[in-house]
Amino acid sequence: MIGRYTRPEMGRIWELENKFAIWKEIEVLACEAQAQLGQAGITVEEAQWIRDHANFTVERIDEIEKVTNHDVIAFTTCMAEYIDADIPEGAEKPSRWVHYGMTSSDLGDTALSYQITQACDIIIADIKQLGETCKRRAFEFQNTLCVGRTHGIHAEPMTFGMKFGSWAWALKRALDRMEQARAVAATGAISGAVGTYSSIDPFVEQYVCEKMGLTPDPLSTQVLARDRHAQVMAALAVTAATLESIAMQVRLLQQSDVIEAEEPFTKGQKGSSAMPHKRNPITAERVCGLARVVKSNAQVAFDDVALWYERDISHSGAERVALADSFIALDYMFGKMQWMLDGLQTYPAKMEHNLWRTKGLIFSSKVLLALVDAGISREDAYVIVQRNAMKVWGDIQNAVDGPTYRQRLEADEEAMALLTAEKLDEIFDPWDFLTRKDVVFDRLENLEF
């Protein structure tokens, strides 16, 4: 991922320096395990020497790889240069025990699992922070009236806090998925050429995994099965889709014809190079755009699941790009969404204004039920409700300053034969729709991240 969309903590996880540091630790732990096991010939003193002297530089590894065309061999060769640097000429080299009985996948896959857990921990923290923000702001706007929309059309009254509340619940589901994916990914394998432990004792795998906070794969075929990685990428993709959905709502609310909320517009910010009046939802749009990258990368992970026989490396290059880019992009998206939602500018007066822009049409469902309660069939009631509603729609569509929906009903003899003025007062009170809203906020009160 380009630097523009990379936050430092997440970026460091996917840098070569961190990957090789994990590789080094795995190799050293494997040597220590072999020394404890006492079967391969390595002594405890040699294992300690390896720990004390093992090192690398990315530059030297790159230099060696240009010759070997093999990154793991380049790494172990570089590490051996450090381990054996102070060993007298003719003496046995401690580096001979490095990578003993292991394959490249034993090292690479176990390290990748550890990187994924590191990255998942950051995303999990991101989700919790944004979830708490949404929950807090939901209660801030618990009693702020706004119109609900379905298909983009005014539907019925609701409160603005419900929007934040729904986002909080979506993030809770994202948290559950990410924690499950992390658990599936936190797996290591040091089982040899085709997973038979032919040249390495299972104790080494157990020892290394325990020290790295991983669980040994019960049956690896040299590689860890890529369905594990696909589950992680799927969780990232769904989480990105959730952020995209929230950002889309912000974009819609910021439209000039709506303007009930907008992302922060900071001092000195410019909206357009040509139109100085503009306040564009650029951050929300950026989140929506980056979500496409993360969602697309999930398909890469699904395609990586199917490998030839016990392994091939068709997955390798693809996942080096897709995994890193997805984690980095999603972390960046969370940073922007946290800034956006924590500082979301809201306009309750405009929400109230918009509530009445359709001249009371949003109360039609209450009128329908009141007519049914008065004793006529639902079909007959629907005719009365709709014919008056369509007249109001016509006025709205043609910018005619005509009667409100209530006034239309009051002029309808058939309707008023069944309704009273007192009943209309009750029907056209927006809070009458929200007598049970506390149910959802009571549930939200118990939501924990």
Side-chain angles (χ1 to χ4, degrees):
M1 181 57 64
I2 63 174
R4 181 181 179 90
Y5 303 133
T6 302
R7 296 206 290 180
E9 186 181 6
M10 181 64 83
R12 281 191 291 270
I13 290 174
W14 300 102
E15 289 175 356
L16 288 174
E17 189 74 31
N18 184 56
K19 183 179 83 168
F20 291 142
I22 299 169
W23 282 16
K24 185 184 81 167
E25 182 61 17
I26 290 171
E27 292 286 4
V28 170
L29 287 171
C31 289
E32 291 174 348
Q34 292 282 16
Q36 283 194 28
L37 190 62
Q39 293 180 357
I42 180 175
T43 64
V44 172
E45 291 73 23
E46 285 175 311
Q48 186 61 52
W49 178 278
I50 291 170
R51 175 166 288 284
D52 293 340
H53 293 82
N55 211 338
F56 65 89
T57 66
V58 174
E59 295 75 19
R60 179 57 179 152
I61 294 170
D62 287 345
E63 185 179 295
I64 298 170
E65 189 179 358
K66 289 176 182 176
V67 177
T68 63
N69 199 28
H70 196 292
D71 58 350
V72 172
I73 293 175
F75 169 77
T76 56
T77 301
C78 176
M79 204 165 84
E81 292 175 349
Y82 282 92
I83 294 170
D84 297 339
D86 296 329
I87 299 298
E89 187 71 28
E92 292 182 337
K93 309 294 187 183
S95 67
R96 71 191 188 279
W97 301 116
V98 173
H99 209 66
Y100 185 88
M102 292 170 58
T103 71
S104 298
S105 292
D106 288 336
L107 177 62
D109 276 11
T110 303
L112 181 58
S113 292
Y114 188 76
Q115 282 181 285
I116 290 172
T117 62
Q118 288 180 312
C120 282
D121 287 342
I122 292 177
I123 298 297
I124 286 169
D126 288 341
I127 295 172
K128 289 179 178 179
Q129 182 184 24
L130 189 60
E132 290 287 3
T133 296
C134 288
K135 178 180 176 180
R136 171 175 55 81
R137 301 218 72 184
F139 285 100
E140 181 182 341
F141 296 101
Q142 180 177 359
N143 296 308
T144 301
L145 272 177
C146 69
V147 67
R149 300 170 175 89
T150 60
H151 306 275
I153 309 301
H154 286 201
E156 289 187 356
M158 60 181 291
T159 75
F160 199 76
M162 293 175 67
K163 293 181 183 290
F164 276 108
S166 69
W167 300 341
W169 282 111
L171 289 164
K172 174 59 175 177
R173 293 189 294 275
L175 176 62
D176 292 342
R177 282 188 290 267
M178 190 55 59
E179 289 177 338
Q180 292 168 3
R182 186 197 187 282
V184 169
T187 307
I190 301 179
S191 56
V194 289
T196 62
Y197 303 95
S198 59
S199 301
I200 195 163
D201 193 283
F203 172 79
V204 177
E205 178 183 70
Q206 181 66 46
Y207 181 92
V208 172
C209 286
E210 183 177 335
K211 295 294 185 181
M212 299 295 292
L214 305 174
T215 301
D217 191 295
L219 199 165
S220 57
T221 61
Q222 189 180 118
V223 293
L224 292 171
R226 258 47 197 177
D227 65 278
R228 298 180 183 276
H229 305 72
Q231 183 168 343
V232 171
M233 293 287 279
L236 295 178
V238 176
T239 303
T242 295
L243 296 189
E244 178 185 21
S245 174
I246 299 171
M248 182 76 77
Q249 295 295 319
V250 173
R251 292 170 62 188
L252 291 168
L253 291 167
Q254 190 165 334
Q255 290 183 103
S256 300
D257 296 329
V258 179
I259 197 61
E260 293 182 0
E262 63 179 343
E263 64 181 54
F265 193 84
T266 56
K267 184 178 180 180
Q269 183 174 339
K270 310 298 181 186
S272 165
S273 62
M275 297 166 284
H277 72 278
K278 298 292 291 296
R279 291 166 66 108
N280 300 329
I282 57 170
T283 305
E285 290 171 343
R286 190 181 308 159
V287 168
C288 290
L290 286 173
R292 300 169 189 170
V293 175
V294 181
K295 292 186 295 182
S296 296
N297 283 344
Q299 184 61 54
V300 175
F302 298 150
D303 292 341
D304 283 344
V305 173
L307 303 177
W308 283 22
Y309 297 107
E310 281 59 59
R311 80 157 297 195
D312 64 53
I313 64 166
S314 60
H315 63 89
S316 179
E319 70 189 14
R320 290 184 196 216
V321 175
L323 272 168
D325 278 5
S326 293
F327 272 109
I328 291 171
L330 186 59
D331 176 56
Y332 174 85
M333 290 163 63
F334 267 108
K336 290 302 179 184
M337 291 301 294
Q338 177 62 34
W339 170 82
M340 186 193 310
L341 296 185
D342 191 42
L344 189 70
Q345 303 297 298
T346 56
Y347 307 109
K350 189 61 190 292
M351 296 177 198
E352 178 82 12
H353 171 78
N354 285 343
L355 188 73
W356 297 100
R357 281 182 66 187
T358 48
K359 299 184 176 183
L361 288 178
I362 59 175
F363 301 97
S364 69
S365 61
K366 290 287 188 181
V367 178
L368 177 67
L369 295 179
L371 291 172
V372 171
D373 289 341
I376 65 173
S377 72
R378 183 180 179 87
E379 289 72 21
D380 290 341
Y382 201 100
V383 170
I384 296 172
V385 171
Q386 189 179 45
R387 74 176 174 227
N388 287 285
M390 291 304 104
K391 293 175 183 177
V392 176
W393 270 124
D395 289 343
I396 293 171
Q397 290 159 344
N398 293 286
V400 174
D401 187 19
T404 66
Y405 185 52
R406 176 170 180 164
Q407 290 169 339
R408 291 280 187 186
L409 289 170
E410 289 172 334
D412 188 308
E413 293 183 2
E414 188 177 4
M416 294 312 295
L418 299 163
L419 301 172
T420 64
E422 291 76 18
K423 187 62 178 178
L424 288 177
D425 288 339
E426 177 186 324
I427 289 171
F428 283 86
D429 176 7
W431 287 106
D432 190 58
F433 285 87
L434 300 167
T435 56
R436 300 187 182 97
K437 73 175 179 61
D438 288 345
V439 172
V440 297
F441 286 98
D442 288 345
R443 294 169 182 163
L444 188 62
E445 187 73 57
N446 297 318
L447 176 61
E448 295 183 358
F449 286 94

